Amino acid sequence: MSQRTGIGDGTRAVRAGLPEPVKHEPALPGPVFAAHYHLPGDPTGPYTYGRDENPTWALLERAIGELEAPGQDGVETLVLSSGMAAVSAVLFSQLRAGDTVVLPGDGYQALPLVRDQLNAYGVEVRTAPTAEDAQLDVLDGARLLWIETPSNPGLDVCDVRRLAEAAHARGCLVAVDNTLATPLGQRPLELGADFSVASGTKQLTGHGDLLLGYVTSRDAGLMAPVRRWRKIAGAIPGPMESWLAHRSLATLHLRADRQGVNALAVAEALKGRPEVTGLRHPGLPGDPAHKIASQQMRRYGCVVSFALPTRERADRFLGALRLVDDATSFGGVRSTAERRGRWGGDAVPEGFIRFSVGVEDTEDLVADVLRALDDSAS
Ligand SMILES: *Cc1c(COP(=O)(O)O)cnc(C)c1O
């Protein structure tokens, strides 16, 4: 897909983070379960205690770094126990009482909780929508700009390069939540961000069987406080989850490509339906986000959002789907969908559906969606 940096995404994904081959050893060494390591004498690294270092994390961190910033030296990645652990690690390690941070007003549903906590610590929080780069208007005096693009669940997109330039001109750091795009869809560091932060729970690992988060940066000085935060908060991933995540990265390009094809097909099918409003997918030509998305993204993710006329209609539609589970989260190999309003928190209509497209055969999935729309009409 689009421009290459040396090798292609698939070639890179299957080998990302693998150690040099060693005779009689597996290509991807198994998970290392260790609370502590043999450590006679002076306690020097690399492996001392299990909350600080783990060889299974080290390989996964190298792999994610290679995908987030191919061919770049000095890239540092830290894996954490969940996406929220990663989000909190950046915000709470970089901000002090008296600082100002700009968050998206339409971002991940736990951000309002983070906002309350930041306020409690004396950090001023400003919010603005993702669409039309509205965060530009509230940057003056801010220490950190938090971008989520595409935003979850509204799928608005902002111009990362433009926002990062404006923020840096004001001495403001920039972090991008790259969860929805994955590093194969978007490379925030190349677009000028200081941090790329994501939940690995979603499409990155793609099987709905683990929680994980990570932070990547090219600036060791910025990463030191994040590492310290991971140590003091203890928000570390288990070795088994880390190993499963690394194993899953080898199919990321296959999953992302199929999910992209399926997402576009589902979106095109929904476009023709009179009961569907507010249809959004950044890969859909004509979507308000498509122009900027096509300039800064290499894949458009697997989420399609839209609304049905009422809550009841949306519930009937979800119940009528046979190939799509009614479940939260997104990015997995099996399609899921949910009525987002059931959680409260997101500013969405009652009939709003966030649809996460899996890797099923395209025709089967589209047929299931269209049949469920028909069956739920009355
Ligand atoms: C899910 C999600 C998170 C939080 O990730 P967890 O792994 O659930 O903690 C953060 N940001 C975005 C955009 C998400 O979709």
Side-chain angles (χ1 to χ4, degrees):
M1 314 256 319
S2 70
Q3 77 279 54
R4 292 182 145 214
T5 309
I7 57 174
D9 286 342
T11 312
R12 185 175 297 110
V14 295
R15 296 205 168 268
L18 297 185
E20 286 300 313
V22 176
K23 191 172 182 183
H24 305 143
E25 293 291 327
L28 176 63
V32 175
F33 298 104
H36 55 86
Y37 307 86
H38 288 301
L39 193 65
D42 287 338
T44 51
Y47 299 111
T48 61
Y49 185 60
R51 182 161 27 75
D52 298 328
E53 305 99 2
N54 178 289
T56 311
W57 303 348
L59 296 178
L60 175 61
E61 287 170 344
R62 189 172 356 137
I64 293 171
E66 286 173 19
L67 299 180
E68 280 280 346
Q72 302 274 324
D73 292 329
V75 174
E76 201 177 327
T77 296
L78 290 167
V79 287
L80 293 101
S81 51
S82 68
M84 282 315 298
V87 170
S88 296
V90 172
L91 290 169
F92 291 104
S93 71
Q94 304 297 319
L95 296 166
R96 310 259 171 292
D99 283 346
T100 296
V101 60
V102 175
L103 301 180
D106 51 350
Y108 183 61
Q109 62 165 354
L111 285 186
L113 299 173
V114 174
R115 175 188 186 142
D116 290 346
Q117 195 61 49
L118 288 164
N119 284 153
Y121 288 153
V123 175
E124 188 198 325
V125 179
R126 296 182 198 147
T127 60
T130 299
E132 290 167 20
D133 304 341
Q135 289 176 306
L136 276 177
D137 299 335
V138 292
L139 278 181
D140 280 344
R143 162 90 185 126
L144 177 70
L145 166 64
W146 191 270
I147 293 170
E148 188 179 306
T149 182
S151 61
N152 170 22
L155 302 179
D156 276 316
V157 171
C158 58
D159 184 338
V160 176
R161 217 183 276 279
R162 180 173 179 225
L163 282 161
E165 275 169 19
H168 289 155
R170 292 165 172 80
C172 172
L173 295 170
V174 178
V176 174
D177 184 326
N178 206 26
T179 304
L180 208 136
T182 84
L184 293 196
Q186 170 171 280
R187 295 177 187 156
L189 301 186
E190 286 180 7
L191 298 170
D194 300 289
F195 296 101
S196 182
V197 185
S199 169
T201 311
K202 315 288 171 59
Q203 194 180 24
L204 185 82
T205 61
H207 292 72
D209 52 10
L210 61 87
L211 281 96
L212 190 89
Y214 70 86
V215 181
T216 300
S217 176
R218 279 194 291 235
D219 188 327
L222 293 177
M223 286 301 270
V226 180
R227 185 180 291 278
R228 181 171 168 276
W229 176 269
R230 181 176 71 174
K231 179 184 171 85
I232 60 179
I236 55 165
M240 189 68 199
E241 283 76 8
S242 304
W243 182 83
L244 280 170
H246 199 159
R247 182 188 198 267
S248 302
L249 287 185
T251 55
L252 177 56
H253 60 298
L254 296 174
R255 291 184 281 108
D257 285 347
R258 171 62 76 87
Q259 285 172 287
V261 167
N262 283 359
L264 196 56
V266 166
E268 294 282 6
L270 290 169
K271 205 169 74 178
R273 298 290 300 216
E275 67 271 56
V276 169
T277 55
L279 174 67
R280 297 298 303 270
H281 176 64
L284 195 62
D287 185 280
H290 184 65
K291 184 162 178 287
I292 181 63
S294 66
Q295 288 161 17
Q296 71 186 13
M297 300 183 74
R298 307 166 71 245
R299 293 176 175 81
Y300 300 111
C302 59
V303 181
V304 177
S305 62
F306 59 98
L308 291 172
T310 62
R311 170 183 179 153
E312 291 69 30
R313 177 75 198 273
D315 282 335
R316 285 203 305 276
F317 168 70
L318 293 171
L321 290 163
R322 292 182 192 137
L323 301 179
V324 182
D325 296 331
D326 188 343
T328 194
S329 198
F330 62 87
V333 288
R334 288 171 289 276
S335 291
T336 58
E338 70 170 334
R339 202 176 59 75
R340 198 59 190 165
R342 65 181 174 169
W343 295 97
D346 293 325
V348 293
E350 282 288 359
F352 179 94
I353 289 172
R354 186 180 67 184
F355 197 117
S356 170
V357 178
V359 300
E360 297 86 357
D361 289 302
T362 312
E363 318 78 75
D364 295 340
L365 192 57
V366 168
D368 195 45
V369 168
L370 293 176
R371 186 199 45 74
L373 278 177
D374 288 339
D375 289 357
S376 59
S378 50

